[in-house]
Amino acid sequence: MTEYEAASLAMQQDMLALQQASLSVQQAAVWVAALVGAAQCSLIGVGLYIMRRAAIQRDAQHRENMAQHRETMAAINAQREAHSEQHRENMEALRELIRRTSGAPGSQDG
């Protein structure tokens, strides 16, 4: 084997080693990308889970608030009705008082 053939064979072996090293680096990059992608998907999944739990809590709180609001509105309406009835009674009593004190002749001292 001549020097040229030996050098050519050594260069081919070096090229093959370089290609294998390059392939190993590319495989490592693929694995890193896969791990990063899996981590991102996991974080998104956890975020969606947390958001769903928060939405469920918020919906429960909203239902509770609405129930309290309905109770409050019912109490206010009942109170308003009671005040209206009391007002009607007071107005009727006032009319009666006006009739008794103003219309009858001789009922006033003077």
Side-chain angles (χ1 to χ4, degrees):
M1 180 178 292
T2 66
E3 267 185 53
Y4 175 75
E5 292 174 332
S8 178
L9 184 58
M11 189 170 23
Q12 287 176 352
Q13 288 175 346
D14 288 344
M15 296 270 297
L16 182 60
L18 183 60
Q19 287 176 346
Q20 288 176 343
S22 176
L23 181 61
S24 295
V25 169
Q26 288 174 352
Q27 287 175 339
V30 168
W31 279 106
V32 167
L35 288 174
V36 168
Q40 288 174 335
C41 290
S42 297
L43 288 173
I44 290 170
V46 168
L48 291 173
Y49 174 78
I50 290 170
M51 287 172 54
R52 181 66 186 138
R53 298 297 305 159
I56 289 170
Q57 273 186 319
R58 192 172 44 252
D59 290 345
Q61 183 65 46
H62 179 69
R63 281 191 296 275
E64 183 179 326
N65 289 345
M66 289 306 294
Q68 288 175 350
H69 177 71
R70 281 189 289 274
E71 290 175 11
T72 301
M73 290 307 293
I76 288 172
N77 286 334
Q79 189 178 33
R80 184 179 52 81
E81 286 297 320
H83 286 160
S84 292
E85 181 61 30
Q86 182 65 46
H87 178 71
R88 280 191 290 275
E89 291 173 6
N90 289 342
M91 291 306 291
E92 185 60 36
L94 180 60
R95 283 186 200 100
E96 282 295 317
L97 181 63
I98 290 171
R99 279 192 212 110
R100 279 186 288 161
T101 59
S102 68
S107 64
Q108 293 180 350
D109 291 334

